[in-house]
Amino acid sequence: MIPRTRSLDRLPIPLPPSDQLLRYGLVLNVQLVAVVLYYSFSGLRLTEPRYVLFGLLWIDVGLLAVRGRSIPSGIPFRTRRRALAVATAYFGLLAVTGGLVGTGIESAGGLRVAWLTPGWGPALVYAGSTVSFVLMPAYVVGYTALAYLVYAALLETTRSAVGGVLGLLSCVSCTWPVVAAVGSTFVGGAGFLSTSAMQLSYDLSTAVFLATVALLYWRPGFGD
């Protein structure tokens, strides 16, 4: 007897509409062409394809998360302002610990464009005597998306800014990227672990980012 197959419309995970799948496919094809043109223009060699995948994952997942999570209406301006302040501080903390922004250096080199691996580049690099920054597209989009999700979470879970801050501090998913960035600093200087940490830094940071986006997007137990 031939077993009956489950129809697609009864799967536990709903599938996107066909027109939406077509748009996603078009976007992926455009990105593939853009990557090919990027390598042709920059003169880089494709040595580690997974780094390209990681960079595109940061950008695509970040944009999809922002697009899919709307800001609730009817929130008092004072609460929205405080939630925005917390989300901005969170983004700043990620930017510093993640290496986007740092202190100045003695050999200031000014502003330039670094042709890094697609997704991570082209990066806008500035080395000044007071401040320096490396604006890699993947990190800029990813950290902005995380801050946006934190902002939305604070508004949806509480009407009180104080309660929102407590919820943020008790949410493991909100603090993972910071802990991972700080922890990698200590591991990076641990002798023979330094090389392994550098080789896996993008792998680990991408895994942490994807898990953080998932937890902040669906927020299991956040409201508790």
Side-chain angles (χ1 to χ4, degrees), residues 79 83 86 150 153-155 157-171 174 222:
T79 301
V86 173
V150 167
L154 293 177
L155 294 182
T157 55
T158 180
R159 302 277 177 167
S160 170
V162 175
V165 172
L166 293 177
L168 174 63
L169 295 178
S170 64
C171 176
C174 302
F222 190 98

Side-chain angles (χ1 to χ4, degrees), residues 5-133:
T5 58
R6 178 182 293 183
S7 59
L8 292 179
D9 58 347
R10 299 185 65 182
L11 288 175
I13 301 178
L15 295 176
S18 57
D19 57 340
Q20 190 172 358
L21 289 176
L22 290 176
R23 288 197 295 269
Y24 289 160
L26 178 61
V27 171
L28 291 177
N29 286 328
V30 170
Q31 288 183 337
L32 179 60
V33 173
V35 168
V36 174
L37 294 177
Y38 182 87
Y39 274 107
S40 301
F41 176 78
S42 63
L44 296 175
R45 296 179 58 185
L46 181 60
T47 56
E48 293 288 347
R50 77 177 192 274
Y51 291 150
V52 179
L53 175 62
F54 292 162
L56 295 181
L57 277 176
W58 276 73
I59 295 175
D60 291 346
V61 171
L63 294 178
L64 285 175
V66 171
R67 182 176 181 271
R69 177 59 64 185
S70 59
I71 300 297
S73 59
I75 306 296
F77 174 75
R78 187 176 183 181
T79 301
R80 288 189 284 113
R81 184 181 60 185
R82 292 179 178 179
L84 180 61
V86 173
T88 302
Y90 179 65
F91 175 83
L93 186 59
L94 291 177
V96 173
T97 57
L100 286 181
V101 181
T103 58
I105 57 178
E106 295 182 358
S107 56
L111 187 65
R112 65 183 181 90
V113 175
W115 298 99
L116 306 177
T117 302
W120 308 105
L124 190 63
V125 180
Y126 175 76
S129 57
T130 304
V131 66
S132 60
F133 57 78

